Amino acid sequence: MQTLSSYVSGKWQEGAGEGAVLVNPVTEEPLATTSTDGLDFAAAAAFGREQGGAALRAMTFGERAALLKAMSKSLHAHRDALLDLAIQNGGNTRSDGKFDVDGATGTLAAYAFLGKDLGDRKLLLEGAGVQLGRSSRYWGQHILSPREGVAVLINAFNFPAWGWAEKAACSLLAGVPVIVKPASSTALLTFRMVEILVEDGVLPAGALQLVSGGPGDLLDHLTEQDVVAFTGSAATGRRIRAHQNLIHRGVKVNVEADSLNSAILAPGLDPDGDTSRLFLREVAKEMTQKAGQKCTAVRRILVPTDDLERVRDELAAALEAVVVGDPSRSEVRMGPLTTAAQLADARCGIETLAGEGRIVTGGPEPVDAVGVEGGKGYFVQPTLIENTDPANSTEVHRLEVFGPVATIMPYDGTPAMAADLVRRGEGSLVSAAYGDDVSFIGELITGLAPWNGRLYLGSEKVADMAVGSGAALPFLKHGGPGRAGGGAELGGLSGLRLYQQRTAVQGDRGLLNRVLPGKD
Amino acid sequence: MQTLSSYVSGKWQEGAGEGAVLVNPVTEEPLATTSTDGLDFAAAAAFGREQGGAALRAMTFGERAALLKAMSKSLHAHRDALLDLAIQNGGNTRSDGKFDVDGATGTLAAYAFLGKDLGDRKLLLEGAGVQLGRSSRYWGQHILSPREGVAVLINAFNFPAWGWAEKAACSLLAGVPVIVKPASSTALLTFRMVEILVEDGVLPAGALQLVSGGPGDLLDHLTEQDVVAFTGSAATGRRIRAHQNLIHRGVKVNVEADSLNSAILAPGLDPDGDTSRLFLREVAKEMTQKAGQKCTAVRRILVPTDDLERVRDELAAALEAVVVGDPSRSEVRMGPLTTAAQLADARCGIETLAGEGRIVTGGPEPVDAVGVEGGKGYFVQPTLIENTDPANSTEVHRLEVFGPVATIMPYDGTPAMAADLVRRGEGSLVSAAYGDDVSFIGELITGLAPWNGRLYLGSEKVADMAVGSGAALPFLKHGGPGRAGGGAELGGLSGLRLYQQRTAVQGDRGLLNRVLPGKD
């Protein structure tokens, strides 16, 4: 069986002991083991800062952009093999795998595009300069420079490719080296990606390190210029935020955690119109893509009371048509959850949500999965729960069941009530609103914006080019307030902020013009 | 004796018990008492969110700007009485008091000016929109909207006027109500300012509340849309960052804490030139203004080895000329520290720093203060310490002595060594560099920027209009990385960010144009 080693301090190193076992979630067969016991994380962090950081900071944005482009090309050249790993270790369908792997190479390419435009600069100016004295001779300008640390990228099991690549794109372009720590359960894909990049010699020494497995005492060795970018459960996110060394040294921490994302159908729509069709199609897809294991998946579906019965039945029919089974088979539309623990959690969560309503389709029971023998695999049926009293329910606004599971609920058709229900989720990554009425959408934006990192508007005019609310795009912010962790990733160049120090510089305007790079 | 009550839930309320005693740091006589025991902070937070937040969010930026202007005018009308309180309770000279009180009214006026420009808008657009689909019909735009919570402004004892006003200017303009919590020891000035604003009826109910004294269980009642903006010691800053409820609910926290700010003299300057003169004048002022009790005060003075002896002696002479005594007397240039505890800490700190070098002038001994009888008052002499081996010292880069105390040290005249010494402070609010050589300053900026929130450049061309490195200006960011807390305040409209939620909105471009406010 394969042993996944870590790539730290410039070489591949195996941890001690038996290690954790990675399995195929369809067959439950072991695929690989991984351990980081005994690795010297203090040395790894120092190696990143000293070698990788120095090399990256010596480069211009244009040169760093070229690195990202080379990373994207190297990985894309192995696309089919990477998709196979996503299927084997992640339980992904080929389409799910593309969402992850192409998401990774696409985001790297998008940041390469942004960085190329910045050309020869090493520092960025932020905003316009400002006159500070009696005359414009005394001047102020904000600048953004690379932090002189390492970025530790702690990723969730559900996106072993995109999860680290979207963070690394921002960090490396900013000039900050990365240490990638995938979730152990799906580390195979991440491991292979880093292996490819090392084999191809794409990056300078120390710019990209890999911790295949537990983080050991890595966080204890971080210092004031380092960064932790975490995606995962709210509980782990809180532990990281409360970590004594990170607080003591003022290490920058970004958290993306749970999120009870909503999809809202506006009132008064033609059931056969483009907007209603878009809503149904996208909600069914957001529930079942990657077996619902997306932090941006729809968990709460808000439908005007008058439309509830019809929409519920249409959506149930769409979910029942989804073929569940071995994701390596072409007819299968949805694979299993990723681990036995995830399966147990999802079943338990379905029971809890159903306790406040009723199961319309699906449920916690074992699934007769296509192409799978002997009851193996961590399968859950696409599950729709109906909750007719969401204003007096708590679990539906609190419990994120990380699987193909959502709750449909009525609202009175006003933006006020829709926003009130969304707010009960205490902060979300994304809410989607489907409607064509300008005043309804306008009011909804005002009510939803403080509680969401992203608002996705589906309407007639864009029904043919909408990308789905679950896709985190390179040019839009990814991250939500409150329960969602309060983080911010991506969003074009503002995605680099986490890895940059913002500094105000004040002095003689003529001097500033000579020592700071030109704006354009 | 006066009892300072709190202004919460729409009325003045006194806490139970004897309370803490505020004294005059010159005479050590008690001035007032304050207690918050038994106050209902859950109700205060809810009152702020529901009454103040709703009222502010219903206003346009122009209307909120008018509130700030009215606040500034109301307070300025009582300027002399407020300066008297700064002298009595803060040990400020009149000039120190102006720095604080005029800083408060000036910052409110500056944000009123910025807000007026935004006119009828309630939401702000951030950055340019971006094309997301095959055609520009599918569009994305980032927006900034007010958080639906309260902002708890926890301030340090050294700026009882500016400290809360600069935070409140940003919060109120963003549309978020505030709860002001001054340090107990100097709460008299803050109390009177809020009293004036309440008497004048300047703000809507719930927009401005005052907690005169301990915060009780206030932080336990904050939720995901609330904000804590803290200025004070690193130890308290860490306690706030680690506060269980704040972490659990994802409350936004901003910290400004300790900072070993540096002033660097470039090599090769004419000792009698404008730049050298500016350096000496400003360093002496930054050390003694407000008796050195400024988070932006200069603590480390870096001078080329060849210039050390001369600069040390000139600076010592300037410090010895500072008249220390009762700050209500016109000939006095520096008053006492603010409390007995601060005095004890400063004396102890001077001993520690002197242990790595020697005292050039000043020291921990009692001071024969002008106009003060019987050895009363918390006075410290302006103190310069010389440390000739800063690369092998630790305390000078670690211990912030919060008084008129700084250490002068040699460096080899290269930007690399200057930056290396600054870095040992592990993150600062501001570093100042005095020089006219473009390549020296340019290299220094690159080396210093990641470790500082602000860089202050003093040179010949601006010697006549320089404002001093210690002044935090409304249009420049205030806040530094690492030890300095990692926070960001002020900086023009970006000072509002802490109180705003940033949200990406994506959809039909025509729809977005209709529901979002125009850019200009």
Side-chain angles (χ1 to χ4, degrees):
Chain A
M1 192 162 44
Q2 188 176 6
T3 301
L4 305 187
S5 45
S6 294
Y7 187 68
V8 286
S9 299
K11 54 182 186 288
W12 289 100
Q13 302 186 38
E14 266 182 36
E18 291 193 6
V21 178
L22 286 68
V23 303
N24 179 324
V26 175
T27 63
E28 304 183 25
E29 283 167 347
L31 294 170
T33 66
T34 184
S35 163
T36 62
D37 289 0
L39 298 188
D40 185 345
F41 287 123
F47 183 78
R49 278 181 216 115
E50 287 156 26
Q51 305 266 329
L56 291 168
R57 287 196 303 275
M59 293 181 176
T60 64
F61 274 99
E63 289 166 338
R64 292 180 213 140
L67 293 183
L68 299 187
K69 192 167 178 190
M71 290 171 74
S72 181
K73 277 182 77 173
S74 256
L75 295 171
H76 191 73
H78 295 78
R79 183 175 187 242
D80 282 334
L82 295 174
L83 292 178
D84 284 346
L85 292 178
I87 293 167
Q88 269 177 54
N89 186 205
N92 286 192
T93 63
R94 194 173 161 86
S95 164
D96 291 340
K98 286 183 200 168
F99 192 65
D100 189 17
V101 172
D102 294 346
T105 52
T107 304
L108 287 165
Y111 274 91
F113 172 80
L114 282 176
K116 194 178 169 190
D117 256 11
L118 300 172
D120 287 343
R121 295 172 209 180
K122 292 182 181 178
L123 291 176
L124 289 185
L125 305 193
E126 187 210 54
V130 57
Q131 178 175 331
L132 300 174
R134 296 183 302 273
S135 89
S136 68
R137 194 155 31 101
Y138 197 55
W139 198 249
Q141 174 68 55
H142 290 92
I143 64 172
L144 300 164
S145 50
R147 295 173 73 89
E148 294 183 0
V150 286
V152 175
L153 313 182
I154 305 177
N155 302 298
F157 68 87
N158 54 336
F159 283 102
W162 175 81
W164 76 266
E166 60 102 5
K167 291 178 168 71
C170 293
S171 185
L172 295 171
L173 186 57
V176 177
V178 301
I179 299 178
V180 173
K181 199 221 90 57
S184 297
S185 60
T186 58
L188 196 50
L189 178 53
T190 313
F191 170 84
R192 182 61 193 135
M193 291 170 82
V194 173
E195 201 179 41
I196 289 166
L197 295 171
V198 172
E199 283 167 7
D200 288 359
V202 170
L203 290 161
L208 171 64
Q209 300 185 80
L210 172 71
V211 172
S212 294
D217 61 357
L218 176 56
L219 299 188
D220 296 329
H221 300 293
L222 298 186
T223 59
E224 53 281 334
Q225 292 275 313
D226 297 332
V227 177
V228 175
F230 167 80
T231 301
S233 75
T236 307
R238 285 174 195 138
R239 273 210 307 283
I240 290 175
R241 277 210 192 285
H243 189 281
Q244 209 183 345
N245 180 59
L246 302 185
I247 286 179
H248 193 81
R249 300 298 291 257
V251 177
K252 275 273 177 233
V253 174
N254 192 76
V255 171
E256 307 287 344
D258 295 3
S259 178
L260 281 305
N261 310 299
S262 305
I264 302 156
L265 186 67
L269 291 170
D270 171 6
D272 295 317
D274 286 343
T275 306
S276 295
R277 292 294 108 195
L278 179 69
F279 168 84
L280 266 180
R281 190 167 72 239
E282 294 202 333
V283 170
K285 179 181 165 200
E286 293 301 331
M287 284 180 63
T288 55
Q289 187 178 42
K290 286 188 125 284
Q293 298 172 111
K294 290 191 311 193
C295 51
T296 53
V298 172
R299 308 293 177 196
R300 299 181 291 167
I301 305 160
L302 281 63
V303 175
T305 309
D306 292 348
D307 299 311
L308 183 67
E309 196 178 313
R310 177 183 53 78
V311 172
R312 177 197 67 203
D313 293 346
E314 288 177 340
L315 186 55
L319 294 171
E320 284 158 14
V322 172
V323 178
V324 179
D326 179 350
S328 65
R329 297 171 72 114
S330 62
E331 76 272 33
V332 165
R333 287 264 314 284
M334 192 181 95
L337 299 188
T338 307
T339 64
Q342 288 295 323
L343 175 64
D345 278 359
R347 284 177 169 167
C348 182
I350 291 170
E351 302 273 16
T352 304
L353 294 181
E356 294 184 334
R358 70 176 189 94
I359 293 171
V360 179
T361 185
E365 293 78 20
V367 178
D368 189 16
V370 171
V372 180
E373 309 248 320
K376 288 283 181 189
Y378 311 130
F379 294 94
V380 178
Q381 201 68 42
T383 298
L384 183 67
I385 292 159
E386 181 178 24
N387 181 326
T388 53
D389 192 11
N392 293 300
S393 298
T394 54
E395 294 298 335
V396 68
H397 305 299
R398 191 195 66 77
L399 180 68
E400 185 188 22
V401 179
F402 213 67
V405 180
T407 301
I408 190 167
M409 60 192 83
Y411 78 104
D412 66 6
T414 66
M417 185 174 174
D420 178 66
L421 291 174
V422 170
R423 267 187 205 108
R424 291 167 191 244
E426 298 181 349
S428 302
L429 287 172
V430 55
S431 287
Y434 294 83
D436 300 298
D437 183 279
V438 171
S439 88
F440 179 89
I441 296 294
E443 274 185 61
L444 203 52
I445 287 176
T446 303
L448 295 182
W451 299 84
N452 287 274
R454 187 158 55 86
L455 297 176
Y456 176 92
L457 307 178
S459 62
E460 211 177 346
K461 289 265 174 55
V462 293
D464 61 328
M465 56 168 71
V467 294
S469 60
L473 304 176
F475 298 143
L476 296 184
K477 174 190 167 176
H478 174 57
R483 184 195 300 278
E489 294 183 339
L490 299 173
L493 287 179
S494 63
L496 275 58
R497 289 285 178 82
L498 177 62
Y499 309 97
Q500 293 171 320
Q501 172 63 27
R502 178 166 160 256
T503 307
V505 187
Q506 67 190 108
D508 168 37
R509 189 176 187 177
L511 182 66
L512 291 183
N513 282 343
R514 291 175 67 187
V515 297
L516 297 178
K519 194 143 176 101
D520 263 316
Chain B
M1 194 161 44
Q2 187 176 7
T3 301
L4 305 187
S5 46
S6 293
Y7 187 69
V8 286
S9 299
K11 53 182 186 289
W12 290 100
Q13 302 186 38
E14 266 182 37
E18 290 192 7
V21 178
L22 287 67
V23 304
N24 180 325
V26 175
T27 62
E28 306 184 24
E29 284 167 347
L31 294 169
T33 65
T34 182
S35 163
T36 61
D37 289 0
L39 298 188
D40 185 346
F41 287 122
F47 184 77
R49 279 181 215 115
E50 286 157 23
Q51 306 266 328
L56 291 168
R57 287 197 303 276
M59 292 180 176
T60 65
F61 273 100
E63 289 165 339
R64 291 179 214 141
L67 293 183
L68 299 187
K69 191 166 179 193
M71 289 171 75
S72 181
K73 278 183 74 171
S74 256
L75 295 171
H76 191 72
H78 294 78
R79 184 176 185 240
D80 283 333
L82 295 175
L83 292 178
D84 285 346
L85 292 178
I87 293 168
Q88 269 177 53
N89 186 204
N92 286 191
T93 62
R94 194 172 161 87
S95 165
D96 291 341
K98 285 182 199 169
F99 192 66
D100 189 17
V101 172
D102 293 347
T105 52
T107 304
L108 287 164
Y111 274 91
F113 171 81
L114 282 176
K116 195 179 170 190
D117 255 11
L118 300 172
D120 287 342
R121 294 171 209 179
K122 292 182 181 179
L123 291 177
L124 289 185
L125 305 193
E126 188 210 52
V130 56
Q131 178 174 329
L132 299 174
R134 297 182 303 275
S135 89
S136 68
R137 195 156 28 103
Y138 197 54
W139 198 249
Q141 174 67 55
H142 291 93
I143 65 172
L144 300 164
S145 49
R147 297 172 72 88
E148 294 183 0
V150 287
V152 176
L153 312 182
I154 305 178
N155 301 299
F157 69 87
N158 54 337
F159 283 102
W162 175 80
W164 76 266
E166 59 102 5
K167 292 178 168 72
C170 293
S171 185
L172 294 171
L173 186 58
V176 177
V178 300
I179 299 178
V180 174
K181 199 221 91 57
S184 296
S185 61
T186 58
L188 196 50
L189 178 52
T190 314
F191 171 83
R192 182 60 193 136
M193 291 170 82
V194 173
E195 200 179 42
I196 289 165
L197 295 170
V198 171
E199 282 166 7
D200 288 359
V202 169
L203 289 161
L208 172 63
Q209 300 186 80
L210 172 71
V211 172
S212 295
D217 62 357
L218 175 56
L219 300 188
D220 296 329
H221 299 294
L222 299 186
T223 59
E224 52 282 333
Q225 293 275 312
D226 296 332
V227 177
V228 174
F230 168 79
T231 300
S233 74
T236 308
R238 287 174 194 136
R239 273 210 307 284
I240 290 175
R241 278 212 191 284
H243 189 282
Q244 208 183 346
N245 180 59
L246 302 185
I247 286 179
H248 193 81
R249 300 298 291 258
V251 176
K252 275 273 178 236
V253 174
N254 192 76
V255 171
E256 307 289 344
D258 294 4
S259 178
L260 281 305
N261 311 300
S262 305
I264 302 156
L265 186 68
L269 290 171
D270 171 6
D272 295 316
D274 285 343
T275 306
S276 294
R277 293 293 108 195
L278 180 69
F279 169 83
L280 266 180
R281 189 167 71 238
E282 293 202 334
V283 170
K285 179 180 165 201
E286 292 302 332
M287 284 180 63
T288 55
Q289 188 179 42
K290 286 188 125 284
Q293 297 172 111
K294 290 189 314 192
C295 51
T296 54
V298 172
R299 308 293 178 196
R300 298 181 293 166
I301 305 160
L302 281 64
V303 175
T305 309
D306 293 346
D307 299 311
L308 184 68
E309 198 178 312
R310 176 184 53 77
V311 171
R312 178 197 67 203
D313 293 344
E314 288 177 340
L315 186 55
L319 294 171
E320 284 159 12
V322 172
V323 179
V324 179
D326 178 350
S328 67
R329 297 171 73 113
S330 61
E331 75 272 31
V332 165
R333 288 263 315 282
M334 192 181 94
L337 299 188
T338 308
T339 63
Q342 289 295 322
L343 174 64
D345 278 0
R347 285 177 169 169
C348 182
I350 291 170
E351 302 274 16
T352 304
L353 294 181
E356 293 184 335
R358 69 173 190 98
I359 293 173
V360 179
T361 184
E365 294 77 20
V367 178
D368 189 16
V370 171
V372 180
E373 310 248 322
K376 288 281 181 189
Y378 312 132
F379 294 94
V380 178
Q381 202 67 42
T383 298
L384 183 67
I385 292 158
E386 181 178 24
N387 182 325
T388 53
D389 192 11
N392 292 301
S393 298
T394 54
E395 294 299 335
V396 68
H397 306 298
R398 191 195 66 77
L399 180 67
E400 184 189 21
V401 180
F402 213 66
V405 180
T407 301
I408 191 166
M409 60 192 83
Y411 77 104
D412 67 4
T414 66
M417 184 175 174
D420 178 65
L421 291 174
V422 170
R423 268 186 204 107
R424 290 167 194 245
E426 299 182 348
S428 302
L429 287 172
V430 57
S431 287
Y434 294 83
D436 299 298
D437 183 280
V438 170
S439 88
F440 179 89
I441 297 294
E443 274 185 61
L444 203 52
I445 288 175
T446 304
L448 296 182
W451 298 85
N452 288 274
R454 187 159 55 87
L455 297 176
Y456 176 91
L457 307 179
S459 61
E460 211 179 344
K461 288 266 176 52
V462 294
D464 61 326
M465 55 167 72
V467 294
S469 62
L473 305 176
F475 297 143
L476 296 185
K477 174 190 167 176
H478 174 57
R483 184 195 300 277
E489 294 184 339
L490 299 173
L493 287 179
S494 63
L496 276 58
R497 288 287 177 82
L498 177 62
Y499 309 98
Q500 293 172 320
Q501 171 64 26
R502 178 164 161 259
T503 307
V505 187
Q506 67 190 110
D508 168 38
R509 188 176 188 178
L511 183 65
L512 290 183
N513 282 344
R514 291 177 66 186
V515 297
L516 297 178
K519 194 147 175 96
D520 263 315

